Amino acid sequence: MLVHHTHSKKNYSIYYFTLLFIFCNIVNSQNAIDFTARCEPYIGNTPCDPYIFNKNSIYVTDSMNQVSINTTISQYLGIMGLVQGCAVPDTFKVVCNQYFQPCINVTLDGSFAGAQQKYLNIRPCRDQCVAGNQRCGLSLSCVNSFKDDPNIFEFPVSENTYNLSPYGGPNPFNLVCLDTHTMVAGNYPSTYNESDAGSTAPIPDTCTNPLIYRNTTEREEDIKKGYYYLGASNCLLPCPVPFFTHREWHQFELLVSITGCFSFVCTFFNVFTYGILNRNFDRHAIGILFLSFSLFMCMMADVIIASQGFELACPEPGRYARQADGYCTANGVIFQYGAVSTVMWWSTMAIDLWMVIKKVTPGKTYVKYYIIGINCLAIIFTILPLFWKGYGYGFGGVGCWLISNGWQNGVFWIPQTVCLFIGTTFIILILIEVYKIVRAVGKGTSRVMELNLRPFLIILFIFGEYLYLVIYHFWVQHNTDKFTQNVVDYVVCLQQYGENAGCETRTVPYNAQFVFLFFLRLLGIEVLIFYGINTRTKKIWKESWLLNNKYFFYLQTKMETITTWNSSKRSKEFPTAPSHAQSSQFSVGLSSADDNDHL
């Protein structure tokens, strides 16, 4: 999970405790004794309900009432709930009773301005502060005292000793600190049941929009289903993750849906041409067929996305789709097979092109071996993650794929890098052969260059796109900690200032992600341009059964009859012959047009 990162935990803790100590200094003022203080019953219905020591008597002043305390502590506890390990009931007991402090009254003799009583607050013990530091990995001071009385501490060791004689009260007056671990502090009245000292009451939550609140007793099962809880809180990270704005996510969805469906049609044309209509299955045709089919599978995954929208990736608010979701699994498996198969066929075609230029003739079983080998590897790399439930929706994409970096690297990015290395090697070898051909300047060799220019260009273009995809992926993976921290800061901003404070999360650059998603879909269009629109495909269609059957001949005859009838009808509508001069001019113009068309 995002917020389980070590740096995130530390930054949250520092943020929380810094605010806490600043607030404590403010609410307790610079004086140990405040004559505006009074005791009030606990107002209830706050995040601190399970942790209040004495609900019958809470310490308040003119500058600090329970409403303002509740507003502030709700924000702080919300932030604490995001910190794994720090947000536990013992820590919340310290915080809640440092804000909603137990209150007692001390009888005075009236000698000071007629005052008959004084209200004092019971503070948590110092070891509770130290324990909080240890739990949250901090080293903040727990020995802060007040300027007007250095003997009074915010977190006393065992008790605070007051001198109330100037106000007509006792001296010394010892006020024992509150042991929040056992909730025992002298003989002060309390509504707290000591048997609850080890209870695990639910951690309070304040989930600011777009965070989503979810209270459940089956947290572990929820996580398996794809709910992303923020630390120990009941706040869910929204789906899709706020790496981008809603508008930007919508643009990504449109990009994938439109270009993916268009590429689907393009690759289908190639598959139909080279797989159904084609009669000559040489190495080149087989390579084009399987490369096109692999991309066809990738684009089929995009068709699923286009039909389902973001409900495919985010089936419920705050839940990221997992392998148990049928459409998600189908989308991920189809895309994985197509993607890993595509890059292997690309490298094979680079090898094959080098063999053509080099005039290397492989054995008859060569083609069978690499067809079987590539498809077996693609199937293995696709099926393996299924056994470990590795498919689902992650954070940066639009559809489902492999969830973890481990699976992505192991069955896709590392194999792709190997294929890129192989393809790069043979691209260099091809360039060497081209250089030799240019130097030779022979008629036959120049013909070889002309025939293989288009295959070389498509191999080179795909190489550039795949290189970008690999570099981009590993760059994002290397900066995951940084992007995670930005999301953490975004959540802190939301919890502290609210959804209208202009909080932003700047993680993966929008333009870089757009190019990443576009390049995957551009491959299908490129394959049509380079392999689907040429003299070979024209010949395949002309000689195919689709254009050489009695039904097509019948349709062709009917079309010719209709064309002849329309021509005859136009001749009858314009029977007047042109004059001699007009006829000569018309003939000259027609001859010129014919010559131009011919040229």
Side-chain angles (χ1 to χ4, degrees):
M1 290 178 63
L2 283 176
V3 295
H4 287 178
H5 190 266
T6 304
H7 297 308
S8 302
K9 171 183 173 180
K10 186 173 182 179
N11 286 350
Y12 266 133
S13 304
I14 293 174
Y15 191 93
Y16 155 69
F17 271 99
T18 300
L19 292 176
L20 172 63
F21 274 67
I22 291 174
F23 179 79
C24 289
N25 285 331
I26 294 175
V27 298
N28 292 307
S29 76
Q30 298 300 315
N31 297 315
I33 298 177
D34 188 337
F35 269 88
T36 69
R38 57 192 179 275
C39 296
E40 292 181 351
Y42 175 59
I43 60 174
N45 196 28
T46 80
C48 284
D49 281 354
Y51 308 104
I52 297 299
F53 169 70
N54 186 358
K55 294 184 178 180
N56 295 324
S57 185
I58 301 296
Y59 182 83
V60 296
T61 66
D62 286 351
S63 60
M64 183 192 68
N65 58 52
Q66 292 192 63
V67 174
S68 64
I69 292 174
N70 183 37
T71 300
T72 305
I73 200 170
S74 295
Q75 296 173 343
Y76 292 166
L77 291 180
I79 295 173
M80 278 190 65
L82 308 179
V83 184
Q84 187 72 14
C86 181
V88 294
D90 281 348
T91 309
F92 281 114
K93 292 175 186 176
V94 178
V95 177
C96 285
N97 286 283
Q98 180 68 4
Y99 279 80
F100 292 105
Q101 296 177 348
C103 180
I104 66 166
N105 59 1
V106 181
T107 302
L108 306 178
D109 60 12
S111 60
F112 179 79
Q116 299 295 321
Q117 56 187 359
K118 174 67 188 79
Y119 301 97
L120 297 178
N121 46 342
I122 305 171
R123 303 174 182 276
C125 299
R126 184 172 301 174
D127 61 355
Q128 309 302 303
C129 174
V130 173
N133 273 341
Q134 293 174 346
R135 183 178 296 279
C136 300
L138 301 172
S139 57
L140 298 176
S141 174
C142 294
V143 295
N144 293 338
S145 60
F146 293 88
K147 291 182 178 180
D148 67 324
D149 192 341
N151 295 317
I152 305 299
F153 296 92
E154 290 183 3
F155 296 97
V157 176
S158 58
E159 59 185 24
N160 271 327
T161 300
Y162 292 86
N163 178 12
L164 299 179
S165 58
Y167 313 108
N171 180 31
F173 182 80
N174 297 323
L175 189 58
V176 179
C177 64
L178 175 64
D179 184 350
T180 57
H181 178 66
T182 59
M183 284 294 194
V184 174
N187 295 317
Y188 304 123
S190 172
T191 59
Y192 185 81
N193 186 346
E194 292 185 24
S195 65
D196 294 334
S199 68
T200 56
I203 295 175
D205 294 301
T206 53
C207 304
T208 305
N209 186 56
L211 303 182
I212 301 167
Y213 179 79
R214 179 178 175 82
N215 190 12
T216 179
T217 58
E218 299 179 348
R219 187 184 185 88
E220 292 301 321
E221 288 299 318
D222 276 2
I223 293 173
K224 292 178 182 178
K225 292 177 181 177
Y227 291 100
Y228 271 91
Y229 287 94
L230 293 172
S233 75
N234 288 332
C235 296
L236 299 175
L237 193 66
C239 182
V241 68
F243 279 172
F244 307 99
T245 64
H246 289 294
R247 179 174 175 270
E248 289 171 341
W249 276 118
H250 180 63
Q251 290 172 345
F252 289 151
E253 182 186 3
L254 286 178
L255 168 69
V256 170
S257 299
I258 295 173
T259 58
C261 290
F262 186 71
S263 293
F264 175 81
V265 175
C266 293
T267 52
F268 175 78
F269 176 84
N270 275 15
V271 171
F272 186 77
T273 300
Y274 285 92
I276 306 299
L277 302 183
N278 183 38
R279 297 177 181 179
N280 181 20
F281 289 95
D282 55 18
R283 295 202 322 269
H284 186 62
I286 290 174
I288 295 173
L289 172 61
F290 278 99
L291 178 65
S292 300
F293 179 74
S294 300
L295 287 170
F296 173 78
M297 296 296 286
C298 289
M299 300 311 122
M300 185 183 291
D302 284 351
V303 171
I304 297 175
I305 293 174
S307 67
Q308 298 297 312
F310 255 112
E311 291 183 3
L312 170 76
C314 307
E316 300 174 33
R319 186 168 82 83
Y320 294 67
R322 287 294 177 263
Q323 193 167 299
D325 299 289
Y327 281 111
C328 177
T329 304
N331 176 246
V333 168
I334 291 172
F335 180 82
Q336 167 64 6
Y337 173 81
V340 73
S341 182
T342 297
V343 69
M344 288 192 289
W345 278 107
W346 169 81
S347 60
T348 302
M349 293 188 70
I351 298 172
D352 189 71
L353 180 59
W354 173 81
M355 294 172 64
V356 170
I357 296 176
K358 192 71 174 173
K359 296 182 179 180
V360 175
T361 304
K364 294 182 179 180
T365 58
Y366 167 75
V367 175
K368 294 181 181 179
Y369 285 149
Y370 71 65
I371 290 176
I372 295 173
I374 290 175
N375 282 287
C376 285
L377 284 176
I379 292 172
I380 291 171
F381 288 155
T382 301
I383 291 178
L384 274 178
L386 283 171
F387 294 105
W388 284 269
K389 297 182 179 180
Y391 287 97
Y393 177 59
F395 288 147
V398 176
C400 292
W401 191 38
L402 302 168
I403 302 175
S404 68
N405 281 330
W407 276 117
Q408 289 182 16
N409 292 339
V411 298
F412 182 74
W413 292 111
I414 292 177
Q416 176 166 302
T417 304
V418 172
C419 290
L420 275 179
F421 176 78
I422 296 172
T424 304
T425 302
F426 280 91
I427 287 175
I428 294 172
L429 292 176
I430 291 170
L431 291 175
I432 293 173
E433 292 302 317
V434 170
Y435 174 73
K436 292 178 181 179
I437 291 172
V438 172
R439 290 191 63 184
V441 195
K443 183 177 181 181
T445 53
S446 62
R447 179 60 177 165
V448 172
M449 288 180 57
E450 181 182 344
L451 292 173
N452 293 285
L453 179 60
R454 288 165 66 92
F456 176 73
L457 286 177
I458 182 63
I459 289 172
L460 194 61
F461 283 178
I462 293 178
F463 166 77
E465 290 158 7
Y466 271 134
L467 183 63
Y468 173 83
L469 298 180
V470 170
I471 293 174
Y472 178 76
H473 165 75
F474 285 108
W475 174 78
V476 170
Q477 188 172 330
H478 176 73
N479 289 279
T480 297
D481 292 348
K482 173 185 174 182
F483 298 149
T484 298
Q485 184 57 49
N486 288 340
V487 173
V488 168
D489 294 339
Y490 166 75
V491 173
V492 169
C493 178
L494 285 177
Q495 294 292 82
Q496 180 64 22
Y497 301 109
E499 61 179 303
N500 298 321
C503 301
E504 295 183 354
T505 171
R506 289 302 171 198
T507 52
V508 180
Y510 170 80
N511 292 335
Q513 181 71 7
F514 189 93
V515 173
F516 178 83
L517 295 173
F518 178 67
F519 272 178
L520 289 172
R521 281 82 199 170
L522 182 61
L523 295 173
I525 302 173
E526 290 174 341
V527 166
L528 173 68
I529 294 173
F530 284 94
Y531 290 135
I533 305 175
N534 54 37
T535 55
R536 178 165 185 170
T537 55
K538 183 179 180 180
K539 183 179 179 181
I540 291 174
W541 277 82
K542 278 187 174 182
E543 296 177 353
S544 70
W545 54 265
L546 192 63
L547 303 184
N548 292 277
N549 59 77
K550 60 181 181 180
Y551 302 106
F552 180 78
F553 290 146
Y554 174 78
L555 180 63
Q556 187 179 31
T557 302
K558 284 293 185 183
M559 292 298 296
E560 290 175 353
T561 302
I562 294 172
T563 304
T564 303
W565 181 81
N566 287 333
S567 299
S568 177
K569 183 179 180 181
R570 283 197 298 269
S571 298
K572 291 179 180 180
E573 291 176 353
F574 304 99
T576 305
S579 66
H580 178 72
Q582 290 174 330
S583 179
S584 299
Q585 276 188 332
F586 182 78
S587 299
V588 172
L590 181 60
S591 299
S592 300
D594 289 343
D595 290 341
N596 289 334
D597 287 344
H598 179 69
L599 291 174

